[in-house]
Amino acid sequence: MTRLRAEGLSLGYDNRTVVSDLDVTVLDGKVTAIVGANACGKSTLLRGLARLLKPQNGAVYLDGRSVAELSTLDVAKVLGLLPQTPVAPDGITVADLVSRGRYPHQGWFRRWTGTDHDAVAQALAATGTADLMDRPLRQLSGGQRQRVWVAMALAQDTDLLLLDEPTTYLDINHQVELLRLLRTLNAESGKTIVVVLHDLNLACRFCDHVIAMLDGSIVAEGAPADVVTAELVEKVFGLPCTIIADPIAGTPIIVPV
């Protein structure tokens, strides 16, 4: 049974529909990228899958049950989320923020355990933010803050991880480091990861499965080598291009014409 899927899913804001009648199956144990031009519905779809946005129609299912039937805590124990524009309490330190990723796993009295400590330490180390742990979040650069938010999501230590544009504010080196980290988490612990990305070349390089969206619909999905063509890129992004093979990974590279 697929752990996370949606059937006939329509989502929007107020009376405006953004994505309509989508059937989505998140491949277990794989890294999936949702790609597309600005305002195509990528983030809206991710919010719907994460139970942050109530469906106008259809449903999202987690482990065979509609997420509408599950409590927020039950969802948070198995599904971690990094939203596009996370908000932190004023004055919070890095260590305090990352520690909040452990809340779903703690009991009624919020008792801190060695497991919690280890999860936070590992998340800080994995994102290269351990040396920032005592600093207030507001004092960090945009790139540093983004890595700290990723650390909080990792500290939650869930089997399913959804990230909305996690490479925002990161320079190219940190973008690659982050995506390598996600691949390592997937390979070593079998985490199922869904990530919204703007860089199609990075999506092809680091993801097993690509879902391409246009105007609220899914226009193609599959392995990058199977679905990322010059025709698709021009259709989805309006960009004439040619596709060549990555000389190292063999995955598609988009070269603008």
Side-chain angles (χ1 to χ4, degrees):
M1 177 179 63
T2 300
R3 298 202 65 189
L4 183 62
R5 61 186 175 86
E7 293 181 0
L9 186 64
S10 295
L11 300 161
Y13 307 93
D14 298 324
N15 295 320
R16 181 172 64 93
T17 299
V18 177
V19 302
S20 181
D21 196 27
L22 297 186
D23 292 333
V24 180
T25 298
V26 174
L27 300 184
D28 293 338
K30 301 294 183 181
V31 181
T32 295
I34 304 176
V35 302
N38 291 339
C40 72
K42 303 185 300 296
S43 294
T44 298
L45 174 57
L46 198 76
R47 286 171 58 84
L49 292 174
R51 195 179 173 271
L52 292 183
L53 197 58
K54 183 178 179 180
Q56 296 174 334
N57 288 295
V60 175
Y61 298 93
L62 179 60
D63 292 330
R65 297 178 60 189
S66 169
V67 295
E69 301 173 357
L70 302 174
S71 70
T72 299
L73 182 60
D74 286 340
V75 173
K77 287 179 179 178
V78 296
L79 192 155
L81 172 70
L82 175 64
Q84 189 177 84
T85 52
V87 178
D90 189 44
I92 194 169
T93 66
V94 168
D96 287 342
L97 180 64
V98 177
S99 296
R100 294 190 176 209
R102 298 303 303 163
Y103 281 10
H105 303 286
Q106 294 176 335
W108 181 259
F109 297 104
R110 303 290 187 200
R111 295 187 61 183
W112 192 257
T113 68
T115 300
D116 296 321
H117 180 274
D118 290 346
V120 170
Q122 290 168 10
L124 289 167
T127 54
T129 53
D131 60 331
L132 305 173
M133 61 184 301
D134 295 324
R135 292 179 59 182
L137 190 69
R138 67 173 182 271
Q139 294 182 2
L140 305 184
S141 69
Q144 288 173 324
R145 282 197 299 272
Q146 191 70 358
R147 285 189 286 143
V148 170
W149 282 112
V150 171
M152 188 187 76
L154 295 182
Q156 196 172 335
D157 193 24
T158 56
D159 294 332
L160 289 159
L161 186 59
L162 277 56
L163 304 104
D164 193 354
E165 299 186 25
T167 55
T168 300
Y169 304 119
L170 300 183
D171 58 44
I172 184 62
N173 180 49
H174 283 115
Q175 288 181 40
V176 171
E177 282 188 358
L178 173 60
L179 292 171
R180 281 178 176 160
L181 171 61
L182 297 181
R183 281 257 51 130
T184 299
L185 290 170
N186 167 257
E188 294 184 352
S189 61
K191 287 185 186 293
T192 298
I193 298 172
V194 182
V195 55
V196 172
L197 289 175
H198 273 299
D199 191 316
L200 192 52
N201 286 333
L202 289 178
C204 291
R205 178 72 179 268
F206 290 100
C207 299
D208 304 298
H209 191 75
V210 171
I211 296 175
M213 296 187 65
L214 176 66
D215 296 332
S217 298
I218 295 174
V219 294
E221 63 174 308
D226 295 334
V227 300
V228 178
T229 63
E231 292 76 18
L232 178 75
V233 174
E234 183 158 12
K235 178 179 181 179
V236 171
F237 294 95
L239 177 69
C241 70
T242 187
I243 305 293
I244 63 174
D246 184 314
I248 295 175
T251 53
I253 291 181
I254 293 85
V255 180
V257 174

